[in-house]
Amino acid sequence: MKASYIAAGVLAASAVLVLSAPAYAHVTVNPEGTAAKGGYATVNFKVPNERDDASTTKLEVNFPTEHPLASVMPAPVDGWKIQVTKSKLAKPVELHGEKIDEAVSKVTWTADGKGIEPGYFQKFPLSIGALPENTDELVFKALQTYSNKEVVRWIEVPQEGQEEPEAPAPVLALSAAEDGHHGSAASDTDSGDAEAVVNESTEQAAASSDTSDTTARVLGIVGIVVGVAGVAYGVLASRRRSDA
């Protein structure tokens, strides 16, 4: 009996230890809204500080060379200097009808103050595009540097159907391409308005034509009546002269 109670106690203690173990966060990337294929998006790299005795002082985000992005624009972040690095592509690529031979290969944020202190996180926003249409995700390998010179390499690519790696790279999921392009709705509206104007003009022209036809007919009938009356008056006048 005592042995069974001891075993149960050990299992319970183990469960408590497992449940109380900290769930370590990692560098992630998420869009504001959606990141649709072929479009542009604003994304945020979220960086938590995982150390109790050091601050995060630097973040380097490497961009995928197999899916280069022609436009990358960072937003200002208080307390951080930003450097955008471009590199020549081994082979020029065509993006949405335009050939490019260089693209952004890395963006680096360096703290000029305290950085990300223990117990805090920081978001680093970027506007990127045009997003590729031939992939479902973009992988950004990141390096997080602490004030004690420690570097955490978030570079392991998650594999579908497998457990998440210990230091996963930030992955941006791309949604399906949105229907139409900018201005298509306005074009449809303008087209509809133009069609309405044409229809209205046609109706007015038809109405005007009908009115003209009716007027011509009325005038024709009046002319006939006047002519008949004139003839009748002439005949009557001739008879009166004969009688006289």
Side-chain angles (χ1 to χ4, degrees):
M1 290 288 291
K2 287 185 177 180
S4 62
Y5 284 129
I6 292 172
V10 171
L11 289 173
S14 300
V16 170
L17 289 174
V18 170
L19 292 175
S20 61
Y24 292 105
H26 50 267
V27 176
T28 57
V29 58
N30 290 289
E32 293 183 4
T34 60
K37 297 178 182 180
Y40 289 77
T42 297
V43 299
N44 289 297
F45 286 89
K46 182 180 178 182
V47 183
N49 191 88
E50 297 182 329
R51 302 294 180 263
D52 296 328
D53 56 353
S55 298
T56 296
T57 57
K58 187 177 182 180
L59 174 69
E60 298 174 65
V61 174
N62 293 279
F63 282 67
T65 56
E66 66 274 18
H67 299 294
L69 299 173
S71 175
V72 176
M73 291 189 297
V77 180
D78 290 340
W80 296 81
K81 294 182 294 184
I82 307 171
Q83 181 180 358
V84 178
T85 303
K86 289 187 175 183
S87 300
K88 286 284 185 180
L89 299 176
K91 182 180 179 181
V93 296
E94 185 172 332
L95 293 177
H96 305 281
E98 181 181 356
K99 284 188 176 182
I100 63 172
D101 58 3
E102 71 172 10
V104 172
S105 57
K106 182 171 65 175
V107 177
T108 305
W109 291 266
T110 305
D112 55 10
K114 295 181 179 180
I116 308 172
E117 298 183 273
Y120 291 87
F121 74 89
Q122 177 72 53
K123 287 184 178 181
F124 299 92
L126 289 175
S127 173
I128 60 175
L131 299 173
E133 300 180 16
N134 58 347
T135 185
D136 294 327
E137 62 183 25
L138 292 175
V139 178
F140 300 89
K141 296 182 178 182
L143 303 181
Q144 181 180 8
T145 302
Y146 286 91
S147 56
N148 60 4
K149 307 304 180 182
E150 177 190 4
V151 178
V152 180
R153 300 169 63 84
W154 304 100
I155 62 173
E156 298 179 62
V157 181
Q159 302 296 326
E160 187 175 356
Q162 298 182 14
E163 292 185 1
E164 184 178 73
E166 188 174 339
V171 178
L172 176 66
L174 304 181
S175 60
E178 296 178 352
D179 294 335
H181 303 282
H182 293 300
S184 61
S187 298
D188 292 342
T189 302
D190 293 343
S191 176
D193 291 344
E195 184 178 356
V197 170
V198 170
N199 290 338
E200 183 177 357
S201 299
T202 303
E203 291 174 358
Q204 290 177 349
S208 177
S209 176
D210 292 343
T211 302
S212 299
D213 291 345
T214 302
T215 302
R217 289 171 184 170
V218 170
L219 291 176
I221 293 172
V222 169
I224 293 172
V225 170
V226 171
V228 170
V231 171
Y233 179 78
V235 171
L236 184 59
S238 296
R239 286 180 179 179
R240 287 178 179 175
R241 290 192 187 100
S242 299
D243 293 339

